[in-house]
Amino acid sequence: MSPRATPTRTAVVVSVGGSVLVTGTGDEQYLRTLAALLRECGKAMPLAVTVGGGRTAREYIALGRSMGLTEVELDEIGIDVTRLHARLLAGTIGGPTPDRVPTSVREAVLELHRASPIIMGGTEPGHTTDGVAALIAVRLRAARVVNATDVDGVYDADPRTHPRARRLPALSWPDFRALVNRVATGSAGQNLPFDRLGAELLARAEIPLDIVRGRDLANLEAAIRGRPFDGSRIGS
Ligand code: UTP
């Protein structure tokens, strides 16, 4: 490679929603199969995975808010829950994943030189684990970020309340950012298609974002491996 050539983008970052990982239904089977999938994909590419806090985080945040905790304190509670989930997934994957969850983007990037996949939760207050996934992706100059979430893509209206809502297979960054900005208010425990910081970072770095249903493991694997998948792609 000549010194000026751009290195090939090979790393992939996956953001797994906490509400995908722990639902109360079939979690044991899902965790095992997801762990096996990530272990295999991690051999084929440098793979970084962030895990969210889901319902557990939202319940603790709601209780803390009613106790009068500050937004920063509530974010810290959320971060602790994401790390709990990361520990659960890392333990299910087993070695050579580290015994301690990385707590910063810097640690995650360093750890990825040693082992793949690496699994982590949140880092600091003010964003979600989607934001962490985007920060890692920018550092790694990743090929793509895959958001494994509880919906099967981005819709032109909320499919829970609009039965005629259409899934959008491809969106530009400006369209997606407008959508995120419409819904986001920035308070702890929000449920968004991808967080605002993450969308801004990926758009600026021109890293595509793929949104897939995380419980559909065949489709999740296709997105991670860069094959055609059912869902939504944001950016080219
Ligand atoms: P999540 O990443 O789980 O956010 O973080 P989420 O949007 O609720 O995602 P799902 O439902 O798991 O898919 C939970 C909360 O933890 C705090 C935020 O308050 C966030 O809403 N958090 C998380 C941080 O403050 N910083 C982080 O780096 C991560």
Side-chain angles (χ1 to χ4, degrees), residues 16-20 51-55 57-58 61 71-72 74-80 82 85 121-130 132 148-150 187-192 195:
V16 182
S19 39
V20 172
V51 186
R55 195 179 61 198
R58 273 192 289 278
I61 286 170
E71 287 299 315
V72 167
L74 297 174
D75 279 346
E76 284 163 345
I77 287 182
I79 292 170
D80 284 346
T82 65
H85 283 173
T123 52
E124 66 268 313
H127 47 77
T128 73
T129 44
D130 293 342
V132 177
T149 183
D150 55 0
S187 60
Q190 279 207 6
N191 198 7
L192 300 169
D195 90 359

mmCIF file of all heavy atoms in Angstrom, residues 16-20 51-55 57-58 61 71-72 74-80 82 85 121-130 132 148-150 187-192 195, ligand 1:
data_model
loop_
_atom_site.group_PDB
_atom_site.id
_atom_site.type_symbol
_atom_site.label_atom_id
_atom_site.label_comp_id
_atom_site.label_asym_id
_atom_site.label_seq_id
_atom_site.Cartn_x
_atom_site.Cartn_y
_atom_site.Cartn_z
ATOM 1 N N VAL A 16 -26.512 -3.001 19.909
ATOM 2 C CA VAL A 16 -27.642 -3.896 20.228
ATOM 3 C C VAL A 16 -28.511 -3.212 21.284
ATOM 4 O O VAL A 16 -28.019 -2.886 22.380
ATOM 5 C CB VAL A 16 -27.154 -5.259 20.772
ATOM 6 C CG1 VAL A 16 -28.350 -6.188 21.058
ATOM 7 C CG2 VAL A 16 -26.200 -5.937 19.794
ATOM 8 N N GLY A 17 -29.763 -2.977 20.976
ATOM 9 C CA GLY A 17 -30.668 -2.348 21.943
ATOM 10 C C GLY A 17 -30.881 -3.245 23.154
ATOM 11 O O GLY A 17 -30.992 -4.459 23.017
ATOM 12 N N GLY A 18 -30.948 -2.626 24.323
ATOM 13 C CA GLY A 18 -31.219 -3.410 25.530
ATOM 14 C C GLY A 18 -32.577 -4.084 25.459
ATOM 15 O O GLY A 18 -32.786 -5.176 25.996
ATOM 16 N N SER A 19 -33.510 -3.443 24.756
ATOM 17 C CA SER A 19 -34.857 -4.003 24.624
ATOM 18 C C SER A 19 -34.880 -5.154 23.616
ATOM 19 O O SER A 19 -35.901 -5.815 23.451
ATOM 20 C CB SER A 19 -35.842 -2.911 24.207
ATOM 21 O OG SER A 19 -35.245 -2.058 23.284
ATOM 22 N N VAL A 20 -33.760 -5.401 22.940
ATOM 23 C CA VAL A 20 -33.625 -6.567 22.063
ATOM 24 C C VAL A 20 -33.009 -7.718 22.863
ATOM 25 O O VAL A 20 -33.422 -8.871 22.764
ATOM 26 C CB VAL A 20 -32.712 -6.222 20.853
ATOM 27 C CG1 VAL A 20 -32.387 -7.459 20.043
ATOM 28 C CG2 VAL A 20 -33.365 -5.165 19.982
ATOM 29 N N VAL A 51 -24.028 -2.435 23.891
ATOM 30 C CA VAL A 51 -25.283 -3.031 24.359
ATOM 31 C C VAL A 51 -26.035 -2.005 25.199
ATOM 32 O O VAL A 51 -25.461 -1.354 26.073
ATOM 33 C CB VAL A 51 -24.986 -4.286 25.220
ATOM 34 C CG1 VAL A 51 -26.285 -4.987 25.577
ATOM 35 C CG2 VAL A 51 -24.078 -5.246 24.486
ATOM 36 N N GLY A 52 -27.338 -1.868 24.945
ATOM 37 C CA GLY A 52 -28.151 -0.884 25.656
ATOM 38 C C GLY A 52 -28.757 -1.422 26.945
ATOM 39 O O GLY A 52 -28.596 -2.594 27.298
ATOM 40 N N GLY A 53 -29.479 -0.548 27.630
ATOM 41 C CA GLY A 53 -30.036 -0.898 28.941
ATOM 42 C C GLY A 53 -31.509 -1.297 28.909
ATOM 43 O O GLY A 53 -32.008 -1.859 29.881
ATOM 44 N N GLY A 54 -32.198 -0.971 27.808
ATOM 45 C CA GLY A 54 -33.578 -1.403 27.610
ATOM 46 C C GLY A 54 -34.524 -1.020 28.736
ATOM 47 O O GLY A 54 -34.381 0.026 29.373
ATOM 48 N N ARG A 55 -35.474 -1.929 28.971
ATOM 49 C CA ARG A 55 -36.547 -1.669 29.929
ATOM 50 C C ARG A 55 -36.002 -1.487 31.344
ATOM 51 O O ARG A 55 -36.462 -0.642 32.103
ATOM 52 C CB ARG A 55 -37.536 -2.839 29.874
ATOM 53 C CG ARG A 55 -38.868 -2.550 30.525
ATOM 54 C CD ARG A 55 -39.796 -3.732 30.415
ATOM 55 N NE ARG A 55 -39.220 -4.905 31.088
ATOM 56 C CZ ARG A 55 -39.615 -6.159 30.885
ATOM 57 N NH1 ARG A 55 -40.558 -6.430 30.015
ATOM 58 N NH2 ARG A 55 -39.069 -7.161 31.538
ATOM 59 N N ALA A 57 -33.159 -0.268 32.327
ATOM 60 C CA ALA A 57 -32.617 1.089 32.498
ATOM 61 C C ALA A 57 -33.757 2.091 32.624
ATOM 62 O O ALA A 57 -33.741 2.956 33.511
ATOM 63 C CB ALA A 57 -31.725 1.444 31.309
ATOM 64 N N ARG A 58 -34.761 1.947 31.766
ATOM 65 C CA ARG A 58 -35.867 2.926 31.803
ATOM 66 C C ARG A 58 -36.620 2.866 33.127
ATOM 67 O O ARG A 58 -37.023 3.895 33.661
ATOM 68 C CB ARG A 58 -36.815 2.707 30.618
ATOM 69 C CG ARG A 58 -36.352 3.479 29.384
ATOM 70 C CD ARG A 58 -37.419 3.514 28.305
ATOM 71 N NE ARG A 58 -37.593 2.219 27.691
ATOM 72 C CZ ARG A 58 -36.820 1.747 26.718
ATOM 73 N NH1 ARG A 58 -35.842 2.489 26.233
ATOM 74 N NH2 ARG A 58 -37.029 0.553 26.215
ATOM 75 N N ILE A 61 -34.460 4.555 35.727
ATOM 76 C CA ILE A 61 -34.403 5.999 35.460
ATOM 77 C C ILE A 61 -35.719 6.652 35.895
ATOM 78 O O ILE A 61 -35.718 7.716 36.528
ATOM 79 C CB ILE A 61 -34.087 6.256 33.966
ATOM 80 C CG1 ILE A 61 -32.600 5.944 33.697
ATOM 81 C CG2 ILE A 61 -34.410 7.697 33.565
ATOM 82 C CD1 ILE A 61 -32.204 5.915 32.235
ATOM 83 N N GLU A 71 -30.525 14.802 35.914
ATOM 84 C CA GLU A 71 -30.427 14.094 34.627
ATOM 85 C C GLU A 71 -29.085 13.366 34.506
ATOM 86 O O GLU A 71 -29.017 12.266 33.979
ATOM 87 C CB GLU A 71 -30.617 15.065 33.454
ATOM 88 C CG GLU A 71 -32.060 15.529 33.259
ATOM 89 C CD GLU A 71 -33.045 14.389 32.948
ATOM 90 O OE1 GLU A 71 -32.717 13.519 32.116
ATOM 91 O OE2 GLU A 71 -34.121 14.373 33.558
ATOM 92 N N VAL A 72 -28.016 13.986 35.022
ATOM 93 C CA VAL A 72 -26.692 13.337 34.951
ATOM 94 C C VAL A 72 -26.692 12.069 35.805
ATOM 95 O O VAL A 72 -26.195 11.013 35.376
ATOM 96 C CB VAL A 72 -25.576 14.313 35.397
ATOM 97 C CG1 VAL A 72 -24.263 13.576 35.632
ATOM 98 C CG2 VAL A 72 -25.380 15.400 34.366
ATOM 99 N N LEU A 74 -29.240 10.276 36.510
ATOM 100 C CA LEU A 74 -30.091 9.285 35.828
ATOM 101 C C LEU A 74 -29.332 8.636 34.669
ATOM 102 O O LEU A 74 -29.423 7.426 34.447
ATOM 103 C CB LEU A 74 -31.379 9.947 35.332
ATOM 104 C CG LEU A 74 -32.283 10.520 36.429
ATOM 105 C CD1 LEU A 74 -33.453 11.288 35.815
ATOM 106 C CD2 LEU A 74 -32.800 9.415 37.349
ATOM 107 N N ASP A 75 -28.571 9.452 33.937
ATOM 108 C CA ASP A 75 -27.737 8.894 32.861
ATOM 109 C C ASP A 75 -26.754 7.869 33.441
ATOM 110 O O ASP A 75 -26.520 6.810 32.846
ATOM 111 C CB ASP A 75 -26.939 10.008 32.169
ATOM 112 C CG ASP A 75 -27.769 10.774 31.129
ATOM 113 O OD1 ASP A 75 -28.854 10.284 30.747
ATOM 114 O OD2 ASP A 75 -27.326 11.850 30.690
ATOM 115 N N GLU A 76 -26.185 8.191 34.596
ATOM 116 C CA GLU A 76 -25.197 7.275 35.205
ATOM 117 C C GLU A 76 -25.849 5.952 35.607
ATOM 118 O O GLU A 76 -25.239 4.884 35.493
ATOM 119 C CB GLU A 76 -24.504 7.957 36.389
ATOM 120 C CG GLU A 76 -23.467 8.961 35.882
ATOM 121 C CD GLU A 76 -23.011 9.966 36.926
ATOM 122 O OE1 GLU A 76 -23.674 10.101 37.977
ATOM 123 O OE2 GLU A 76 -21.985 10.630 36.666
ATOM 124 N N ILE A 77 -27.088 6.029 36.064
ATOM 125 C CA ILE A 77 -27.821 4.789 36.367
ATOM 126 C C ILE A 77 -28.008 3.990 35.081
ATOM 127 O O ILE A 77 -27.784 2.771 35.027
ATOM 128 C CB ILE A 77 -29.187 5.113 37.018
ATOM 129 C CG1 ILE A 77 -28.958 5.600 38.457
ATOM 130 C CG2 ILE A 77 -30.116 3.893 36.994
ATOM 131 C CD1 ILE A 77 -30.218 5.912 39.224
ATOM 132 N N GLY A 78 -28.398 4.692 33.998
ATOM 133 C CA GLY A 78 -28.563 4.035 32.698
ATOM 134 C C GLY A 78 -27.268 3.362 32.261
ATOM 135 O O GLY A 78 -27.270 2.208 31.810
ATOM 136 N N ILE A 79 -26.157 4.049 32.417
ATOM 137 C CA ILE A 79 -24.848 3.503 32.004
ATOM 138 C C ILE A 79 -24.550 2.219 32.781
ATOM 139 O O ILE A 79 -24.088 1.224 32.209
ATOM 140 C CB ILE A 79 -23.736 4.564 32.225
ATOM 141 C CG1 ILE A 79 -23.922 5.724 31.257
ATOM 142 C CG2 ILE A 79 -22.350 3.935 32.056
ATOM 143 C CD1 ILE A 79 -23.046 6.933 31.540
ATOM 144 N N ASP A 80 -24.829 2.245 34.082
ATOM 145 C CA ASP A 80 -24.568 1.042 34.895
ATOM 146 C C ASP A 80 -25.361 -0.154 34.370
ATOM 147 O O ASP A 80 -24.859 -1.273 34.329
ATOM 148 C CB ASP A 80 -24.908 1.299 36.369
ATOM 149 C CG ASP A 80 -23.849 2.149 37.057
ATOM 150 O OD1 ASP A 80 -22.747 2.299 36.486
ATOM 151 O OD2 ASP A 80 -24.128 2.660 38.161
ATOM 152 N N THR A 82 -26.435 -0.601 31.248
ATOM 153 C CA THR A 82 -25.871 -1.041 29.956
ATOM 154 C C THR A 82 -24.636 -1.921 30.189
ATOM 155 O O THR A 82 -24.413 -2.889 29.482
ATOM 156 C CB THR A 82 -25.491 0.150 29.039
ATOM 157 O OG1 THR A 82 -24.436 0.898 29.641
ATOM 158 C CG2 THR A 82 -26.668 1.055 28.757
ATOM 159 N N HIS A 85 -25.649 -5.425 31.107
ATOM 160 C CA HIS A 85 -26.022 -6.192 29.912
ATOM 161 C C HIS A 85 -24.780 -6.582 29.113
ATOM 162 O O HIS A 85 -24.709 -7.676 28.554
ATOM 163 C CB HIS A 85 -26.990 -5.385 29.045
ATOM 164 C CG HIS A 85 -28.392 -5.360 29.579
ATOM 165 N ND1 HIS A 85 -29.390 -4.595 29.047
ATOM 166 C CD2 HIS A 85 -28.957 -6.047 30.604
ATOM 167 C CE1 HIS A 85 -30.514 -4.795 29.704
ATOM 168 N NE2 HIS A 85 -30.267 -5.660 30.666
ATOM 169 N N GLY A 121 -20.835 -1.279 27.188
ATOM 170 C CA GLY A 121 -22.075 -0.529 27.359
ATOM 171 C C GLY A 121 -21.808 0.947 27.131
ATOM 172 O O GLY A 121 -21.139 1.326 26.169
ATOM 173 N N GLY A 122 -22.294 1.789 28.046
ATOM 174 C CA GLY A 122 -22.159 3.233 27.885
ATOM 175 C C GLY A 122 -20.816 3.748 28.373
ATOM 176 O O GLY A 122 -20.011 3.002 28.939
ATOM 177 N N THR A 123 -20.598 5.053 28.173
ATOM 178 C CA THR A 123 -19.329 5.671 28.581
ATOM 179 C C THR A 123 -19.571 6.831 29.550
ATOM 180 O O THR A 123 -19.256 6.732 30.717
ATOM 181 C CB THR A 123 -18.546 6.167 27.352
ATOM 182 O OG1 THR A 123 -19.402 6.985 26.548
ATOM 183 C CG2 THR A 123 -18.005 5.000 26.547
ATOM 184 N N GLU A 124 -20.161 7.924 29.040
ATOM 185 C CA GLU A 124 -20.453 9.036 29.953
ATOM 186 C C GLU A 124 -21.838 9.613 29.684
ATOM 187 O O GLU A 124 -22.435 9.316 28.649
ATOM 188 C CB GLU A 124 -19.372 10.123 29.911
ATOM 189 C CG GLU A 124 -19.253 10.859 28.619
ATOM 190 C CD GLU A 124 -18.226 10.217 27.692
ATOM 191 O OE1 GLU A 124 -17.117 9.898 28.106
ATOM 192 O OE2 GLU A 124 -18.607 10.018 26.522
ATOM 193 N N PRO A 125 -22.343 10.463 30.632
ATOM 194 C CA PRO A 125 -23.701 11.007 30.485
ATOM 195 C C PRO A 125 -23.868 11.824 29.197
ATOM 196 O O PRO A 125 -22.906 12.385 28.682
ATOM 197 C CB PRO A 125 -23.860 11.908 31.707
ATOM 198 C CG PRO A 125 -22.887 11.377 32.699
ATOM 199 C CD PRO A 125 -21.736 10.848 31.913
ATOM 200 N N GLY A 126 -25.098 11.885 28.702
ATOM 201 C CA GLY A 126 -25.406 12.821 27.622
ATOM 202 C C GLY A 126 -25.746 12.175 26.294
ATOM 203 O O GLY A 126 -26.131 12.871 25.355
ATOM 204 N N HIS A 127 -25.578 10.855 26.192
ATOM 205 C CA HIS A 127 -25.984 10.191 24.942
ATOM 206 C C HIS A 127 -26.392 8.769 25.286
ATOM 207 O O HIS A 127 -26.520 8.429 26.463
ATOM 208 C CB HIS A 127 -24.854 10.221 23.906
ATOM 209 C CG HIS A 127 -23.501 9.824 24.425
ATOM 210 N ND1 HIS A 127 -23.156 8.511 24.662
ATOM 211 C CD2 HIS A 127 -22.421 10.568 24.790
ATOM 212 C CE1 HIS A 127 -21.912 8.463 25.108
ATOM 213 N NE2 HIS A 127 -21.441 9.707 25.213
ATOM 214 N N THR A 128 -26.594 7.919 24.291
ATOM 215 C CA THR A 128 -26.966 6.526 24.560
ATOM 216 C C THR A 128 -25.843 5.630 24.022
ATOM 217 O O THR A 128 -24.820 6.119 23.544
ATOM 218 C CB THR A 128 -28.299 6.161 23.874
ATOM 219 O OG1 THR A 128 -28.053 6.051 22.470
ATOM 220 C CG2 THR A 128 -29.383 7.180 24.134
ATOM 221 N N THR A 129 -26.041 4.330 24.078
ATOM 222 C CA THR A 129 -25.018 3.419 23.553
ATOM 223 C C THR A 129 -24.954 3.491 22.016
ATOM 224 O O THR A 129 -23.954 3.075 21.438
ATOM 225 C CB THR A 129 -25.271 1.972 24.023
ATOM 226 O OG1 THR A 129 -26.660 1.665 23.897
ATOM 227 C CG2 THR A 129 -24.868 1.804 25.473
ATOM 228 N N ASP A 130 -25.993 4.015 21.359
ATOM 229 C CA ASP A 130 -25.884 4.289 19.910
ATOM 230 C C ASP A 130 -24.768 5.321 19.684
ATOM 231 O O ASP A 130 -23.974 5.201 18.743
ATOM 232 C CB ASP A 130 -27.181 4.885 19.351
ATOM 233 C CG ASP A 130 -28.350 3.907 19.368
ATOM 234 O OD1 ASP A 130 -28.104 2.689 19.476
ATOM 235 O OD2 ASP A 130 -29.497 4.380 19.267
ATOM 236 N N VAL A 132 -22.217 5.863 21.575
ATOM 237 C CA VAL A 132 -20.925 5.196 21.818
ATOM 238 C C VAL A 132 -20.523 4.403 20.568
ATOM 239 O O VAL A 132 -19.366 4.463 20.127
ATOM 240 C CB VAL A 132 -21.008 4.253 23.048
ATOM 241 C CG1 VAL A 132 -19.692 3.521 23.257
ATOM 242 C CG2 VAL A 132 -21.401 5.034 24.301
ATOM 243 N N ALA A 148 -29.042 -2.972 15.865
ATOM 244 C CA ALA A 148 -29.945 -4.110 16.080
ATOM 245 C C ALA A 148 -31.002 -3.649 17.063
ATOM 246 O O ALA A 148 -30.756 -3.521 18.262
ATOM 247 C CB ALA A 148 -29.155 -5.290 16.638
ATOM 248 N N THR A 149 -32.201 -3.398 16.536
ATOM 249 C CA THR A 149 -33.205 -2.730 17.360
ATOM 250 C C THR A 149 -34.506 -3.544 17.413
ATOM 251 O O THR A 149 -34.539 -4.677 16.956
ATOM 252 C CB THR A 149 -33.397 -1.282 16.808
ATOM 253 O OG1 THR A 149 -34.318 -0.602 17.622
ATOM 254 C CG2 THR A 149 -33.872 -1.276 15.368
ATOM 255 N N ASP A 150 -35.557 -2.973 18.030
ATOM 256 C CA ASP A 150 -36.789 -3.751 18.178
ATOM 257 C C ASP A 150 -37.804 -3.455 17.070
ATOM 258 O O ASP A 150 -38.930 -3.929 17.126
ATOM 259 C CB ASP A 150 -37.398 -3.568 19.581
ATOM 260 C CG ASP A 150 -37.636 -2.117 19.920
ATOM 261 O OD1 ASP A 150 -37.323 -1.248 19.073
ATOM 262 O OD2 ASP A 150 -38.121 -1.821 21.021
ATOM 263 N N SER A 187 -33.534 14.089 27.046
ATOM 264 C CA SER A 187 -33.587 13.661 28.446
ATOM 265 C C SER A 187 -33.290 12.166 28.572
ATOM 266 O O SER A 187 -33.407 11.419 27.600
ATOM 267 C CB SER A 187 -34.938 14.016 29.066
ATOM 268 O OG SER A 187 -35.963 13.386 28.376
ATOM 269 N N ALA A 188 -32.913 11.736 29.793
ATOM 270 C CA ALA A 188 -32.462 10.353 30.008
ATOM 271 C C ALA A 188 -33.568 9.353 29.681
ATOM 272 O O ALA A 188 -34.748 9.602 29.910
ATOM 273 C CB ALA A 188 -32.029 10.189 31.464
ATOM 274 N N GLY A 189 -33.169 8.178 29.147
ATOM 275 C CA GLY A 189 -34.088 7.067 28.958
ATOM 276 C C GLY A 189 -35.013 7.184 27.756
ATOM 277 O O GLY A 189 -36.020 6.504 27.693
ATOM 278 N N GLN A 190 -34.678 8.002 26.772
ATOM 279 C CA GLN A 190 -35.542 8.131 25.585
ATOM 280 C C GLN A 190 -35.401 6.959 24.633
ATOM 281 O O GLN A 190 -34.360 6.330 24.562
ATOM 282 C CB GLN A 190 -35.142 9.386 24.827
ATOM 283 C CG GLN A 190 -35.733 10.578 25.445
ATOM 284 C CD GLN A 190 -35.917 11.673 24.411
ATOM 285 O OE1 GLN A 190 -35.698 11.492 23.231
ATOM 286 N NE2 GLN A 190 -36.319 12.791 24.878
ATOM 287 N N ASN A 191 -36.453 6.703 23.847
ATOM 288 C CA ASN A 191 -36.393 5.601 22.888
ATOM 289 C C ASN A 191 -36.446 6.164 21.464
ATOM 290 O O ASN A 191 -37.469 6.580 20.991
ATOM 291 C CB ASN A 191 -37.578 4.656 23.140
ATOM 292 C CG ASN A 191 -37.343 3.312 22.505
ATOM 293 O OD1 ASN A 191 -36.252 3.056 21.988
ATOM 294 N ND2 ASN A 191 -38.347 2.467 22.508
ATOM 295 N N LEU A 192 -35.287 6.184 20.768
ATOM 296 C CA LEU A 192 -35.187 6.783 19.436
ATOM 297 C C LEU A 192 -34.666 5.760 18.440
ATOM 298 O O LEU A 192 -34.045 4.781 18.823
ATOM 299 C CB LEU A 192 -34.196 7.956 19.487
ATOM 300 C CG LEU A 192 -34.519 9.107 20.424
ATOM 301 C CD1 LEU A 192 -33.327 10.032 20.553
ATOM 302 C CD2 LEU A 192 -35.718 9.867 19.906
ATOM 303 N N ASP A 195 -29.490 7.577 18.264
ATOM 304 C CA ASP A 195 -29.451 8.854 18.990
ATOM 305 C C ASP A 195 -28.846 9.988 18.159
ATOM 306 O O ASP A 195 -28.194 9.777 17.149
ATOM 307 C CB ASP A 195 -28.877 8.686 20.398
ATOM 308 C CG ASP A 195 -27.378 8.843 20.500
ATOM 309 O OD1 ASP A 195 -26.723 9.064 19.479
ATOM 310 O OD2 ASP A 195 -26.869 8.740 21.623
HETATM 311 P P1 UTP B 1 -29.396 2.990 26.101
HETATM 312 O O1 UTP B 1 -28.216 3.006 25.224
HETATM 313 O O2 UTP B 1 -29.987 1.700 26.499
HETATM 314 O O3 UTP B 1 -30.519 3.911 25.454
HETATM 315 O O4 UTP B 1 -29.041 3.792 27.393
HETATM 316 P P2 UTP B 1 -31.983 3.548 24.907
HETATM 317 O O5 UTP B 1 -32.276 4.571 23.863
HETATM 318 O O6 UTP B 1 -32.883 3.431 26.074
HETATM 319 O O7 UTP B 1 -31.799 2.168 24.110
HETATM 320 P P3 UTP B 1 -32.450 0.694 24.240
HETATM 321 O O8 UTP B 1 -33.865 0.776 24.681
HETATM 322 O O9 UTP B 1 -31.578 -0.065 25.158
HETATM 323 O O10 UTP B 1 -32.339 0.229 22.818
HETATM 324 C C1 UTP B 1 -29.977 3.944 28.463
HETATM 325 C C2 UTP B 1 -29.784 5.282 29.103
HETATM 326 O O11 UTP B 1 -28.481 5.325 29.747
HETATM 327 C C3 UTP B 1 -27.896 6.621 29.626
HETATM 328 C C4 UTP B 1 -28.941 7.488 28.892
HETATM 329 O O12 UTP B 1 -29.779 8.092 29.871
HETATM 330 C C5 UTP B 1 -29.750 6.459 28.110
HETATM 331 O O13 UTP B 1 -31.034 6.930 27.784
HETATM 332 N N1 UTP B 1 -26.586 6.523 28.893
HETATM 333 C C6 UTP B 1 -26.264 5.406 28.177
HETATM 334 C C7 UTP B 1 -25.678 7.562 28.970
HETATM 335 O O14 UTP B 1 -25.950 8.598 29.593
HETATM 336 N N2 UTP B 1 -24.451 7.445 28.322
HETATM 337 C C8 UTP B 1 -24.108 6.344 27.607
HETATM 338 O O15 UTP B 1 -22.979 6.298 27.041
HETATM 339 C C9 UTP B 1 -25.052 5.310 27.528
#
